[in-house]
Amino acid sequence: MTTALGLLAVALGALCLHLAIGGTPIPIRDVIASLLGAAPDPRTELAVLEFRLPRTAAAVLAGVAFGVAGALTQTVARNPLASPDILGVTNGAALGAVSVLALTSQVAGLPEFFLRHGLVLAATAGGLLVSALVFALVWHSSLESNRLVLVGLGFSGLCAAATSWMLTLGEVYNAQQALTWLAGTVNAISWSDLLLAPVAIALCVALAGMLHQQRQVLALDSDTARALGMNLGRERVLMLGLATPLAIAGTVIAGPLAFVALASGHASRLIARSTIPTVLHSALIGAIFVLLADLAAARGFPVVLPAGVATAVIGAPYLIFLVLRQSRVRTAS
């Protein structure tokens, strides 16, 4: 609980810092006052609540979604290197979204509803379709972790190749927009872009938190889990059934942010000194990661960069560290 409170304090500090630093810096005391409904003036209130808060909320939601999705995926796979990325969910959602971004301008007469919500619908459909195909192909093995990862990697590569092909079909402007989104960004987010995602994320996170005992048993080897009376196939489907909409929601909000799910789940296990990644710690670490990454990418360089650039710069060395650490552990054993 102490570490959770510490992470919560860091997350709140990162949130205030994210709101305070911008084209025109705002004192943190004025940011806090605006959030509490006591803004010093209407201009500050408008800047904080209407211009900056949607972007900050998007970063928090995406971080929480990817963080918890990573914790659930690593529990099922019993591997700290696992994440929704390698199961194809993120790339499936990205393929659906890029299809809309790249091809919308080439089809005339599309209904207003599709123009407004097409990206969300296509990303959701792509992520769900890929996850359903992966589940179907490994169902006979009760979603055994090695087969799950191998099939997921295959579909992930297939979706990545199809996404690159889609980019060649679109117009230059739309392809550029799609490439920016693929890098992972919370730029230009408005409140209208965050209507359904918070509800879906909150529901999935709450359900994941209620399944802590099942996750502890699932992290054991298969024979021990069966001896304790667990239906492995059902429980794995349940966990991945929660991880999938979380990964899709995070991708819809901020694009396929690299390494957030992987790093958050593993870091939460280390910080909490737990045998499995904890939901609360993973959510908080994910939120902190995306907030600070977006802040560094947007304000740390002469040009505004997508948040995914910063998550990749931080996450890639972390992944190399994990791989080397895993190799040493296996060699020692």
Side-chain angles (χ1 to χ4, degrees), residues 3-4 18 41 66 73 128 136 142 154-155 164 169 203 214 216 223 225 245-246 248 250 252 262 278 296 317 325:
T3 55
H18 194 271
D41 56 75
F66 282 123
T73 307
L128 290 175
S142 297
F155 274 100
S164 299
L169 301 179
L203 180 61
Q214 291 93 319
Q216 284 185 315
D223 292 337
L246 283 169
I248 292 172
V252 167
L262 184 148
T278 62
R325 189 169 181 265

PDB file of all heavy atoms in Angstrom, residues 3-4 18 41 66 73 128 136 142 154-155 164 169 203 214 216 223 225 245-246 248 250 252 262 278 296 317 325:
ATOM      1  N   THR A   3       3.818   1.689  -1.389  1.00  0.00           N
ATOM      2  CA  THR A   3       4.329   1.953  -2.734  1.00  0.00           C
ATOM      3  C   THR A   3       3.224   2.475  -3.647  1.00  0.00           C
ATOM      4  O   THR A   3       3.468   3.323  -4.510  1.00  0.00           O
ATOM      5  CB  THR A   3       4.926   0.673  -3.342  1.00  0.00           C
ATOM      6  OG1 THR A   3       3.944  -0.380  -3.305  1.00  0.00           O
ATOM      7  CG2 THR A   3       6.163   0.244  -2.575  1.00  0.00           C
ATOM      8  N   ALA A   4       2.000   1.978  -3.455  1.00  0.00           N
ATOM      9  CA  ALA A   4       0.877   2.456  -4.268  1.00  0.00           C
ATOM     10  C   ALA A   4       0.603   3.929  -3.987  1.00  0.00           C
ATOM     11  O   ALA A   4       0.356   4.724  -4.909  1.00  0.00           O
ATOM     12  CB  ALA A   4      -0.374   1.622  -3.999  1.00  0.00           C
ATOM     13  N   HIS A  18       2.272  18.183 -16.296  1.00  0.00           N
ATOM     14  CA  HIS A  18       1.832  18.072 -17.688  1.00  0.00           C
ATOM     15  C   HIS A  18       0.902  19.224 -18.052  1.00  0.00           C
ATOM     16  O   HIS A  18       0.939  19.760 -19.166  1.00  0.00           O
ATOM     17  CB  HIS A  18       1.131  16.729 -17.887  1.00  0.00           C
ATOM     18  CG  HIS A  18       0.915  16.347 -19.318  1.00  0.00           C
ATOM     19  ND1 HIS A  18      -0.212  16.703 -20.023  1.00  0.00           N
ATOM     20  CD2 HIS A  18       1.685  15.644 -20.195  1.00  0.00           C
ATOM     21  CE1 HIS A  18      -0.138  16.233 -21.255  1.00  0.00           C
ATOM     22  NE2 HIS A  18       1.004  15.592 -21.389  1.00  0.00           N
ATOM     23  N   ASP A  41      -8.445  33.238 -12.882  1.00  0.00           N
ATOM     24  CA  ASP A  41      -9.072  34.082 -13.893  1.00  0.00           C
ATOM     25  C   ASP A  41      -9.634  33.186 -14.997  1.00  0.00           C
ATOM     26  O   ASP A  41      -9.231  32.018 -15.146  1.00  0.00           O
ATOM     27  CB  ASP A  41      -8.057  35.085 -14.475  1.00  0.00           C
ATOM     28  CG  ASP A  41      -6.829  34.395 -15.045  1.00  0.00           C
ATOM     29  OD1 ASP A  41      -6.939  33.811 -16.142  1.00  0.00           O
ATOM     30  OD2 ASP A  41      -5.772  34.422 -14.380  1.00  0.00           O
ATOM     31  N   PHE A  66      -2.922   0.621 -21.270  1.00  0.00           N
ATOM     32  CA  PHE A  66      -1.786  -0.203 -21.693  1.00  0.00           C
ATOM     33  C   PHE A  66      -1.111  -0.879 -20.494  1.00  0.00           C
ATOM     34  O   PHE A  66      -0.673  -2.030 -20.591  1.00  0.00           O
ATOM     35  CB  PHE A  66      -0.772   0.651 -22.451  1.00  0.00           C
ATOM     36  CG  PHE A  66      -1.165   0.938 -23.866  1.00  0.00           C
ATOM     37  CD1 PHE A  66      -1.284   2.245 -24.311  1.00  0.00           C
ATOM     38  CD2 PHE A  66      -1.416  -0.081 -24.761  1.00  0.00           C
ATOM     39  CE1 PHE A  66      -1.651   2.532 -25.624  1.00  0.00           C
ATOM     40  CE2 PHE A  66      -1.782   0.179 -26.076  1.00  0.00           C
ATOM     41  CZ  PHE A  66      -1.901   1.493 -26.509  1.00  0.00           C
ATOM     42  N   THR A  73      -1.578  -9.630 -19.656  1.00  0.00           N
ATOM     43  CA  THR A  73      -0.934 -10.453 -20.676  1.00  0.00           C
ATOM     44  C   THR A  73       0.276 -11.182 -20.103  1.00  0.00           C
ATOM     45  O   THR A  73       0.503 -12.367 -20.384  1.00  0.00           O
ATOM     46  CB  THR A  73      -0.499  -9.590 -21.871  1.00  0.00           C
ATOM     47  OG1 THR A  73      -1.616  -8.839 -22.350  1.00  0.00           O
ATOM     48  CG2 THR A  73       0.026 -10.454 -22.996  1.00  0.00           C
ATOM     49  N   LEU A 128     -10.377  -6.632 -32.221  1.00  0.00           N
ATOM     50  CA  LEU A 128     -11.217  -7.768 -31.824  1.00  0.00           C
ATOM     51  C   LEU A 128     -11.071  -8.932 -32.803  1.00  0.00           C
ATOM     52  O   LEU A 128     -11.038 -10.099 -32.398  1.00  0.00           O
ATOM     53  CB  LEU A 128     -12.683  -7.335 -31.744  1.00  0.00           C
ATOM     54  CG  LEU A 128     -13.048  -6.388 -30.589  1.00  0.00           C
ATOM     55  CD1 LEU A 128     -14.498  -5.958 -30.699  1.00  0.00           C
ATOM     56  CD2 LEU A 128     -12.787  -7.058 -29.241  1.00  0.00           C
ATOM     57  N   ALA A 136      -8.885 -18.490 -31.440  1.00  0.00           N
ATOM     58  CA  ALA A 136      -9.431 -19.662 -32.134  1.00  0.00           C
ATOM     59  C   ALA A 136      -8.339 -20.652 -32.504  1.00  0.00           C
ATOM     60  O   ALA A 136      -8.525 -21.875 -32.406  1.00  0.00           O
ATOM     61  CB  ALA A 136     -10.196 -19.210 -33.381  1.00  0.00           C
ATOM     62  N   SER A 142      -5.790 -24.904 -24.767  1.00  0.00           N
ATOM     63  CA  SER A 142      -6.162 -24.108 -23.582  1.00  0.00           C
ATOM     64  C   SER A 142      -5.368 -22.808 -23.500  1.00  0.00           C
ATOM     65  O   SER A 142      -5.015 -22.339 -22.425  1.00  0.00           O
ATOM     66  CB  SER A 142      -5.960 -24.917 -22.288  1.00  0.00           C
ATOM     67  OG  SER A 142      -6.815 -26.037 -22.270  1.00  0.00           O
ATOM     68  N   GLY A 154       2.863 -13.986 -35.181  1.00  0.00           N
ATOM     69  CA  GLY A 154       2.579 -14.150 -36.600  1.00  0.00           C
ATOM     70  C   GLY A 154       1.538 -13.166 -37.090  1.00  0.00           C
ATOM     71  O   GLY A 154       1.726 -12.502 -38.126  1.00  0.00           O
ATOM     72  N   PHE A 155       0.448 -13.036 -36.350  1.00  0.00           N
ATOM     73  CA  PHE A 155      -0.596 -12.100 -36.740  1.00  0.00           C
ATOM     74  C   PHE A 155      -0.125 -10.654 -36.595  1.00  0.00           C
ATOM     75  O   PHE A 155      -0.519  -9.784 -37.374  1.00  0.00           O
ATOM     76  CB  PHE A 155      -1.857 -12.325 -35.897  1.00  0.00           C
ATOM     77  CG  PHE A 155      -2.765 -13.376 -36.448  1.00  0.00           C
ATOM     78  CD1 PHE A 155      -2.767 -14.649 -35.930  1.00  0.00           C
ATOM     79  CD2 PHE A 155      -3.615 -13.092 -37.512  1.00  0.00           C
ATOM     80  CE1 PHE A 155      -3.592 -15.634 -36.445  1.00  0.00           C
ATOM     81  CE2 PHE A 155      -4.454 -14.060 -38.034  1.00  0.00           C
ATOM     82  CZ  PHE A 155      -4.447 -15.343 -37.506  1.00  0.00           C
ATOM     83  N   SER A 164       1.573  -1.201 -43.544  1.00  0.00           N
ATOM     84  CA  SER A 164       2.508  -0.527 -44.450  1.00  0.00           C
ATOM     85  C   SER A 164       1.948  -0.462 -45.872  1.00  0.00           C
ATOM     86  O   SER A 164       2.099   0.553 -46.564  1.00  0.00           O
ATOM     87  CB  SER A 164       3.846  -1.276 -44.457  1.00  0.00           C
ATOM     88  OG  SER A 164       4.431  -1.281 -43.167  1.00  0.00           O
ATOM     89  N   LEU A 169      -1.425   3.224 -50.273  1.00  0.00           N
ATOM     90  CA  LEU A 169      -2.645   3.432 -51.043  1.00  0.00           C
ATOM     91  C   LEU A 169      -3.276   4.795 -50.811  1.00  0.00           C
ATOM     92  O   LEU A 169      -4.036   5.280 -51.645  1.00  0.00           O
ATOM     93  CB  LEU A 169      -3.679   2.346 -50.699  1.00  0.00           C
ATOM     94  CG  LEU A 169      -3.258   0.898 -50.956  1.00  0.00           C
ATOM     95  CD1 LEU A 169      -4.369  -0.046 -50.537  1.00  0.00           C
ATOM     96  CD2 LEU A 169      -2.895   0.687 -52.415  1.00  0.00           C
ATOM     97  N   LEU A 203     -14.207   0.023 -16.351  1.00  0.00           N
ATOM     98  CA  LEU A 203     -14.867  -1.259 -16.116  1.00  0.00           C
ATOM     99  C   LEU A 203     -13.880  -2.413 -16.183  1.00  0.00           C
ATOM    100  O   LEU A 203     -13.860  -3.294 -15.311  1.00  0.00           O
ATOM    101  CB  LEU A 203     -15.979  -1.447 -17.152  1.00  0.00           C
ATOM    102  CG  LEU A 203     -16.790  -2.751 -17.058  1.00  0.00           C
ATOM    103  CD1 LEU A 203     -17.493  -2.833 -15.713  1.00  0.00           C
ATOM    104  CD2 LEU A 203     -17.799  -2.842 -18.191  1.00  0.00           C
ATOM    105  N   GLN A 214      -7.286 -15.255  -8.794  1.00  0.00           N
ATOM    106  CA  GLN A 214      -7.194 -16.112  -9.979  1.00  0.00           C
ATOM    107  C   GLN A 214      -5.893 -15.881 -10.729  1.00  0.00           C
ATOM    108  O   GLN A 214      -5.290 -16.817 -11.256  1.00  0.00           O
ATOM    109  CB  GLN A 214      -8.379 -15.866 -10.907  1.00  0.00           C
ATOM    110  CG  GLN A 214      -9.710 -16.344 -10.368  1.00  0.00           C
ATOM    111  CD  GLN A 214     -10.456 -15.250  -9.616  1.00  0.00           C
ATOM    112  OE1 GLN A 214      -9.851 -14.478  -8.856  1.00  0.00           O
ATOM    113  NE2 GLN A 214     -11.761 -15.173  -9.831  1.00  0.00           N
ATOM    114  N   GLN A 216      -3.049 -14.975  -9.440  1.00  0.00           N
ATOM    115  CA  GLN A 216      -1.954 -15.590  -8.700  1.00  0.00           C
ATOM    116  C   GLN A 216      -1.852 -17.079  -8.995  1.00  0.00           C
ATOM    117  O   GLN A 216      -0.753 -17.617  -9.170  1.00  0.00           O
ATOM    118  CB  GLN A 216      -2.144 -15.363  -7.195  1.00  0.00           C
ATOM    119  CG  GLN A 216      -1.808 -13.952  -6.734  1.00  0.00           C
ATOM    120  CD  GLN A 216      -1.887 -13.818  -5.229  1.00  0.00           C
ATOM    121  OE1 GLN A 216      -2.830 -14.283  -4.606  1.00  0.00           O
ATOM    122  NE2 GLN A 216      -0.876 -13.188  -4.646  1.00  0.00           N
ATOM    123  N   ASP A 223       0.343 -27.561 -14.397  1.00  0.00           N
ATOM    124  CA  ASP A 223      -0.035 -28.735 -13.607  1.00  0.00           C
ATOM    125  C   ASP A 223      -0.489 -28.324 -12.208  1.00  0.00           C
ATOM    126  O   ASP A 223      -1.489 -28.845 -11.682  1.00  0.00           O
ATOM    127  CB  ASP A 223       1.131 -29.716 -13.506  1.00  0.00           C
ATOM    128  CG  ASP A 223       1.457 -30.370 -14.839  1.00  0.00           C
ATOM    129  OD1 ASP A 223       0.556 -30.419 -15.700  1.00  0.00           O
ATOM    130  OD2 ASP A 223       2.612 -30.805 -15.033  1.00  0.00           O
ATOM    131  N   ALA A 225      -1.687 -25.359 -11.296  1.00  0.00           N
ATOM    132  CA  ALA A 225      -2.960 -24.639 -11.410  1.00  0.00           C
ATOM    133  C   ALA A 225      -4.132 -25.601 -11.594  1.00  0.00           C
ATOM    134  O   ALA A 225      -5.190 -25.417 -10.985  1.00  0.00           O
ATOM    135  CB  ALA A 225      -2.889 -23.661 -12.577  1.00  0.00           C
ATOM    136  N   PRO A 245      -9.790  -5.443 -24.845  1.00  0.00           N
ATOM    137  CA  PRO A 245     -10.428  -4.123 -24.954  1.00  0.00           C
ATOM    138  C   PRO A 245      -9.600  -2.996 -24.344  1.00  0.00           C
ATOM    139  O   PRO A 245      -9.669  -1.855 -24.805  1.00  0.00           O
ATOM    140  CB  PRO A 245     -11.765  -4.303 -24.212  1.00  0.00           C
ATOM    141  CG  PRO A 245     -11.601  -5.505 -23.374  1.00  0.00           C
ATOM    142  CD  PRO A 245     -10.633  -6.385 -24.087  1.00  0.00           C
ATOM    143  N   LEU A 246      -8.796  -3.309 -23.328  1.00  0.00           N
ATOM    144  CA  LEU A 246      -7.921  -2.278 -22.762  1.00  0.00           C
ATOM    145  C   LEU A 246      -6.874  -1.839 -23.784  1.00  0.00           C
ATOM    146  O   LEU A 246      -6.639  -0.633 -23.963  1.00  0.00           O
ATOM    147  CB  LEU A 246      -7.227  -2.810 -21.502  1.00  0.00           C
ATOM    148  CG  LEU A 246      -8.075  -2.870 -20.230  1.00  0.00           C
ATOM    149  CD1 LEU A 246      -7.352  -3.654 -19.144  1.00  0.00           C
ATOM    150  CD2 LEU A 246      -8.416  -1.469 -19.734  1.00  0.00           C
ATOM    151  N   ILE A 248      -7.090  -2.133 -27.016  1.00  0.00           N
ATOM    152  CA  ILE A 248      -7.784  -1.443 -28.112  1.00  0.00           C
ATOM    153  C   ILE A 248      -8.126  -0.018 -27.703  1.00  0.00           C
ATOM    154  O   ILE A 248      -7.927   0.928 -28.478  1.00  0.00           O
ATOM    155  CB  ILE A 248      -9.054  -2.213 -28.509  1.00  0.00           C
ATOM    156  CG1 ILE A 248      -8.678  -3.560 -29.151  1.00  0.00           C
ATOM    157  CG2 ILE A 248      -9.909  -1.398 -29.474  1.00  0.00           C
ATOM    158  CD1 ILE A 248      -9.868  -4.466 -29.399  1.00  0.00           C
ATOM    159  N   GLY A 250      -6.637   1.885 -25.471  1.00  0.00           N
ATOM    160  CA  GLY A 250      -5.416   2.681 -25.440  1.00  0.00           C
ATOM    161  C   GLY A 250      -4.956   3.053 -26.831  1.00  0.00           C
ATOM    162  O   GLY A 250      -4.515   4.186 -27.080  1.00  0.00           O
ATOM    163  N   VAL A 252      -6.872   3.321 -29.562  1.00  0.00           N
ATOM    164  CA  VAL A 252      -7.818   4.287 -30.127  1.00  0.00           C
ATOM    165  C   VAL A 252      -7.515   5.696 -29.631  1.00  0.00           C
ATOM    166  O   VAL A 252      -7.556   6.669 -30.395  1.00  0.00           O
ATOM    167  CB  VAL A 252      -9.267   3.889 -29.779  1.00  0.00           C
ATOM    168  CG1 VAL A 252     -10.231   5.035 -30.071  1.00  0.00           C
ATOM    169  CG2 VAL A 252      -9.677   2.652 -30.562  1.00  0.00           C
ATOM    170  N   LEU A 262       4.533  -3.341 -21.860  1.00  0.00           N
ATOM    171  CA  LEU A 262       5.617  -4.221 -21.427  1.00  0.00           C
ATOM    172  C   LEU A 262       6.315  -3.665 -20.191  1.00  0.00           C
ATOM    173  O   LEU A 262       6.495  -4.360 -19.194  1.00  0.00           O
ATOM    174  CB  LEU A 262       6.608  -4.399 -22.572  1.00  0.00           C
ATOM    175  CG  LEU A 262       7.776  -5.364 -22.342  1.00  0.00           C
ATOM    176  CD1 LEU A 262       8.173  -6.031 -23.651  1.00  0.00           C
ATOM    177  CD2 LEU A 262       8.996  -4.619 -21.770  1.00  0.00           C
ATOM    178  N   THR A 278       0.864  -6.268 -10.442  1.00  0.00           N
ATOM    179  CA  THR A 278      -0.387  -5.861  -9.795  1.00  0.00           C
ATOM    180  C   THR A 278      -1.113  -4.838 -10.661  1.00  0.00           C
ATOM    181  O   THR A 278      -0.490  -4.020 -11.344  1.00  0.00           O
ATOM    182  CB  THR A 278      -0.109  -5.257  -8.412  1.00  0.00           C
ATOM    183  OG1 THR A 278       0.689  -4.071  -8.570  1.00  0.00           O
ATOM    184  CG2 THR A 278       0.641  -6.243  -7.531  1.00  0.00           C
ATOM    185  N   ALA A 296       8.068  15.107 -22.356  1.00  0.00           N
ATOM    186  CA  ALA A 296       9.424  15.167 -22.895  1.00  0.00           C
ATOM    187  C   ALA A 296       9.410  15.324 -24.415  1.00  0.00           C
ATOM    188  O   ALA A 296      10.185  16.109 -24.978  1.00  0.00           O
ATOM    189  CB  ALA A 296      10.190  13.908 -22.503  1.00  0.00           C
ATOM    190  N   PRO A 317      15.763   0.385 -24.656  1.00  0.00           N
ATOM    191  CA  PRO A 317      16.843  -0.074 -23.764  1.00  0.00           C
ATOM    192  C   PRO A 317      16.327  -0.935 -22.611  1.00  0.00           C
ATOM    193  O   PRO A 317      16.996  -1.875 -22.185  1.00  0.00           O
ATOM    194  CB  PRO A 317      17.447   1.239 -23.232  1.00  0.00           C
ATOM    195  CG  PRO A 317      17.069   2.267 -24.240  1.00  0.00           C
ATOM    196  CD  PRO A 317      15.723   1.856 -24.755  1.00  0.00           C
ATOM    197  N   ARG A 325      18.656  -9.871 -18.822  1.00  0.00           N
ATOM    198  CA  ARG A 325      18.405 -10.355 -17.463  1.00  0.00           C
ATOM    199  C   ARG A 325      17.795 -11.756 -17.491  1.00  0.00           C
ATOM    200  O   ARG A 325      18.171 -12.623 -16.699  1.00  0.00           O
ATOM    201  CB  ARG A 325      17.469  -9.376 -16.760  1.00  0.00           C
ATOM    202  CG  ARG A 325      17.277  -9.635 -15.268  1.00  0.00           C
ATOM    203  CD  ARG A 325      16.561  -8.462 -14.625  1.00  0.00           C
ATOM    204  NE  ARG A 325      16.375  -8.669 -13.203  1.00  0.00           N
ATOM    205  CZ  ARG A 325      15.277  -9.173 -12.675  1.00  0.00           C
ATOM    206  NH1 ARG A 325      14.266  -9.529 -13.459  1.00  0.00           N
ATOM    207  NH2 ARG A 325      15.154  -9.340 -11.370  1.00  0.00           N
TER     208      ARG A 325
END
